[in-house]
Amino acid sequence: MSIRTLAAVLALTLAAGAAQAQETLSPDLVRFKGLYKELVETNTTLSVGSCTLAAERMAARLKAAGYPDADVQLLVPEGRPKDGNLIATLHGKDAKAKPILLLAHIDVVEANRADWERDPFTLIEEGEYFYARGASDDKAMASIFTDSMIRYKEAGYKPRRDIKLALTCGEETADTFNGVEWLLKTHPNALAAGMVLNEGAAARLDADGKPLYLAIQAGEKVYQDYTLEITNPGGHSSRPFKDNAIVRLSKVLANIGDHDFPIAINDSVRQNFEGSAKLESDPAIAAALLAILKDPNDKAAEAIIVKDRGRNSMMRTTCVPTMAAAGHAPNALPQRATANVNCRILPGVDPLEVLKDLERVGGDAGVKFKLAAAPSPKAVAPPLDETVLGPARKVAAKIWPGVPIIPAMSTGATDSRFTSAAGTPSYGLSGLFFDPDGGGTHGLNERVRVKSLYDSRTFLFEVVKLYADQK
């Protein structure tokens, strides 16, 4: 058999296998997969994509399911025609009950085709995974929420309270434009709700693909950049002197890099460490997690915990130099040196107080510190009681028996920082289980397990109904 013939046979075999796999899906799931594919393959990067196009395509599906035009709004900011946002509403029986808001961003991080093994803007199902930019972040939840709204409408489901869907643009590039921030300022009623369900909590699989725990995010750290700058008369590099802008700024950055902010344990971190200790296979780590809860000044426990970068970041504010620029010619002493320090600040801590801490730790009055942008909204940790945890536990027990739910505080940033600051309790709950390496989110070859996506669809469809029908 020739190589060409063998290749043809292999292609036919793979195609037949794919067709057979497609046939095993219910018509309902086939439709969802089509919606997911359409959204993922709609390029929504800042550089060349269009959130507006993606929002229009999802709006068309909602209207086809029976939503009237009045309940499907496409809101596009003036001067930014590609940054459109979609708001859809399923009306409930009790107009006085505050709505539940299903929030998902439809913009994605840039992806260079030359760096990826597969085309990042073509949804590829391979093995046990879907691969594409946005396969998980955040078009998985955006697709599931849109699909749920369609299914609720078609089933004639009438919740107690309104269910709102918000597909927004700009979460990944908030310094350029953020749809949630813009909507809160210009269309506050669009996002008015009593509770927000959003991204932000990743459920974890072990190395063998077995679910370890389901996370629910209650609060997140504040993102804040600071600009550091020092100027100098400079001069010819053949006549150097000790007062060098690069050297002085480097020492300041080294001091900041060596500094640890104090440990401060909030309620969501406490619950996370308690739950994680029960699952931890290493007794020393489990003991350290519990010890730090009793005494945040326990240096022995701290030394063990900080080896896990995620846990270290959960229990303290962190600041790290991320960019630097200096000099104007290779044969001249630098006249200016600048750097960016990125901080992830614990809820309740004022970014201006962190600025003062950085100035003190830097130790050089000649280096000027300032906020790189307006202060981020002050983080507020939402309550985490049985009205929140109960429905999640009930549905999760049916899908993943015996898998615990562990609260978490995000060390990154999501759009919940805006809705939370606006006074709406905001939670990260997806039901999406990820491999230990995180599935390539924001990186190369982003992926999500097929089973994880379909299980998350089942989970969110049911749990949203429980929240929507609560008294």
Side-chain angles (χ1 to χ4, degrees), residues 18-351:
Q20 184 177 4
Q22 182 82 350
E23 289 174 2
T24 62
L25 298 179
S26 66
D28 181 61
L29 204 51
V30 169
R31 184 179 66 174
F32 166 70
K33 186 177 177 181
L35 183 157
Y36 176 58
K37 177 180 175 66
E38 181 178 42
L39 185 57
V40 167
E41 294 186 352
T42 304
N43 190 320
T44 52
T45 58
L46 178 64
S47 59
V48 299
S50 174
C51 288
T52 302
L53 178 58
E56 288 172 342
R57 288 174 171 174
M58 296 301 102
R61 287 178 176 268
L62 289 165
K63 291 179 181 180
Y67 284 88
D69 290 350
D71 292 340
V72 181
Q73 296 177 278
L74 184 64
L75 301 174
V76 184
E78 185 177 354
R80 305 193 67 87
K82 294 184 178 182
D83 293 337
N85 306 269
L86 176 65
I87 306 296
T89 304
L90 177 67
H91 292 289
K93 294 177 286 189
D94 186 351
K96 295 181 179 180
K98 291 184 178 181
I100 178 172
L101 175 65
L102 312 182
L103 177 62
H105 69 87
I106 51 177
D107 62 305
V108 296
V109 172
E110 303 287 341
N112 184 354
R113 174 65 184 93
D115 296 333
W116 281 56
E117 295 177 15
R118 308 161 189 84
D119 181 353
F121 297 105
T122 298
L123 183 68
I124 295 175
E125 183 175 357
E126 185 177 306
E128 300 178 358
Y129 296 93
F130 286 122
Y131 291 87
R133 172 59 83 223
S136 61
D137 186 15
D138 184 31
K139 290 182 176 179
M141 284 190 73
S143 298
I144 290 170
F145 282 156
T146 304
D147 172 73
S148 292
M149 293 288 281
I150 291 171
R151 293 163 69 194
Y152 296 150
K153 190 69 169 180
E154 291 179 340
Y157 169 57
K158 190 81 169 178
R160 176 173 178 261
R161 55 177 41 80
D162 288 358
I163 300 176
K164 289 184 177 181
L165 169 68
L167 302 182
T168 61
C169 192
E171 194 272 350
E172 302 290 7
T173 54
D175 288 343
T176 301
F177 170 80
N178 182 275
V180 172
E181 185 178 29
W182 176 75
L183 287 167
L184 287 169
K185 290 179 180 178
T186 61
H187 302 274
N189 288 336
L191 300 183
M195 176 186 188
V196 175
L197 283 188
N198 187 23
E199 63 169 342
R204 180 63 61 86
L205 300 168
D206 65 15
D208 297 321
K210 180 181 177 182
L212 289 176
Y213 62 82
L214 174 63
I216 179 169
Q217 178 183 310
E220 61 184 50
K221 298 177 83 174
V222 171
Y223 178 110
Q224 188 69 54
D225 285 314
Y226 298 87
T227 299
L228 283 59
E229 181 180 65
I230 183 170
T231 57
N232 191 290
H236 201 286
S237 62
S238 66
R239 301 176 63 191
F241 54 98
K242 296 297 183 182
D243 187 12
N244 182 291
I246 292 177
V247 173
R248 288 179 63 182
L249 182 61
S250 296
K251 290 179 179 179
V252 169
L253 294 177
N255 289 340
I256 291 172
D258 289 337
H259 178 67
D260 287 325
F261 283 81
I263 292 173
I265 306 294
N266 60 32
D267 186 52
S268 61
V269 175
R270 176 175 296 279
Q271 292 189 52
N272 179 273
F273 280 14
E274 289 173 345
S276 297
K278 297 176 182 178
L279 300 175
E280 184 58 59
S281 60
D282 187 328
I285 296 177
L289 290 171
L290 298 177
I292 208 74
L293 298 180
K294 294 180 180 179
D295 180 10
N297 296 313
D298 188 328
K299 295 301 180 183
E302 179 184 358
I304 293 173
I305 295 171
V306 297
K307 294 177 182 178
D308 184 311
R309 291 185 292 176
R311 286 170 175 162
N312 176 60
S313 187
M314 285 178 66
M315 64 185 185
R316 57 167 37 110
T317 291
T318 60
C319 292
V320 60
T322 54
M323 298 176 68
H328 58 285
N331 60 349
L333 300 176
Q335 298 170 2
R336 184 184 308 273
T338 63
N340 184 84
V341 172
N342 176 252
C343 296
R344 306 301 176 115
I345 304 169
L346 287 175
V349 178
D350 190 338

